[in-house]
Amino acid sequence: MTNRLKDRETPLRILLVEDDQAAAKLYRWVLMNEGYEVVLAPSGEEGYALATERSPDLIIVDVMLPGMDGYMLCRQLRQNMVTRSVPILIVSAKSDIVDKIAGFEAGADDYLSKPFHPEELVLRVKALLARLRSSALAESPLYSRGRIIALFSSKGGVGKTTIAVNLAIALHQKSSGNVVLFDADFFFGNVGVYLNLPPFYSILNLISHLSNPSAILLDQVLVPHASGIRVLMSPYYPEEAELVEASHVKDVLSFLSETHDYVVVDCQATYDERTLTILENTNLIVVVTTPEVGAIKNTSRFLELAEKLGIPDERLQILVNRADSDVGVNVREIERTLKHPIAFQLPSGGRTVVFSVNRGVPLILDNPNHPFSQQIAAIAEKLMTIPQRLTAE
């Protein structure tokens, strides 16, 4: 759902891809008289670029275009994460049933044969937009397009980043979906190090362009990993962390969830406004702790804070890392202390996990049969089945 569907005072934007100047002028005049904003493109290539840059609410495409024809344009728009859900109306002088079938197979939502009365064009446009609006309104604001899973701990050294990295890859393996790992430790993020990725781009390259996001922007700022996931890095220099504001974080989460099936967020162990923004705008919060007095105490304090923030218990999933450590505190005692069920337990990976971190090769890739890797995979499967609720409007 686009922002313009939420804001009725802003005119809905229609992208018209038509190389016939006379026809384009007529269609534009008719649609503008109905209160729509109309953006023109004379070719398929330019239409594709404008579709990713201008975020139209509907696209009208003529089949006969110079270069990329209308069918190819439809297929490319449907393959793009940013434009795949935008309604497409094909207009064409080709009126045979074979041509119409080709249009629908290419991804069009409707097909209008020329010549047609301008009123029919308006009715088709209104019908498509009404269908889109009905679909958007049918979705509760408690649900988002992609699932956001935040990993948080109020104490460092509990293995949170190691879990986040392996979990993101497991989600991609289990779902075959688009997964992005967001390093939200803005001061000392280590996700890139754990994955052996070069620090070319970071969230700073994204936040300055959030007013006009596009698939091209995604390719420029998200670093691909050999596992199939993509990574949004934290700032390279700690002093640059202050350039990231809470409003930026909320916009980044919204953008990433609109373009990915899963957004895994590795949070920093602080209660600053940015971290609280993440926690308030996620579907699930995996709270990582260990069987140590300090970690358990901090987790208990966090659960108290979560209650004050109005975060419901069902969004909180407690994960005990190194649960098999023989340190005098068992999982049942942790549950009694926290007064919250333990959702997940991870065995200690010992030197094998440390070695994988130092090599920059996540254990779930290097040794998928290791007990740690197998349990991470099981956690990913479980997280995929939990109902997707989001408290932020």
Side-chain angles (χ1 to χ4, degrees), residues 206-241:
L206 177 59
I207 58 179
S208 59
H209 299 284
L210 281 173
S211 60
N212 188 25
S214 67
I216 298 174
L217 179 61
L218 279 175
D219 292 334
Q220 290 175 340
V221 300
L222 299 186
V223 182
H225 183 258
S227 64
I229 69 170
R230 297 201 284 185
V231 180
L232 181 61
M233 307 276 234
S234 61
Y236 182 71
Y237 297 105
E239 60 267 26
E240 294 178 328

Side-chain angles (χ1 to χ4, degrees), residues 257-311:
S257 68
E258 288 176 358
T259 52
H260 293 80
D261 300 299
Y262 292 94
V263 182
V264 178
V265 188
D266 184 23
C267 298
Q268 54 193 11
T270 65
Y271 291 137
D272 69 7
E273 188 177 358
R274 295 168 298 189
T275 302
L276 294 179
T277 297
I278 294 171
L279 298 178
E280 291 174 337
N281 288 275
T282 58
N283 302 102
L284 294 169
I285 303 171
V286 178
V287 185
V288 182
T289 190
T290 55
E292 300 167 331
V293 173
I296 296 169
K297 181 202 73 174
N298 286 5
T299 301
S300 178
R301 297 280 175 84
F302 168 71
L303 294 177
E304 294 173 2
L305 174 63
E307 183 178 0
K308 293 177 183 178
L309 292 174
I311 299 174

Side-chain angles (χ1 to χ4, degrees), residues 70-90:
Y71 298 143
M72 178 60 72
L73 174 59
C74 286
R75 283 191 287 269
Q76 293 211 8
L77 290 170
R78 288 296 176 241
Q79 292 171 4
N80 188 308
M81 290 180 294
V82 174
T83 59
R84 62 185 174 187
S85 62
V86 179
I88 300 175
L89 169 62
I90 283 184

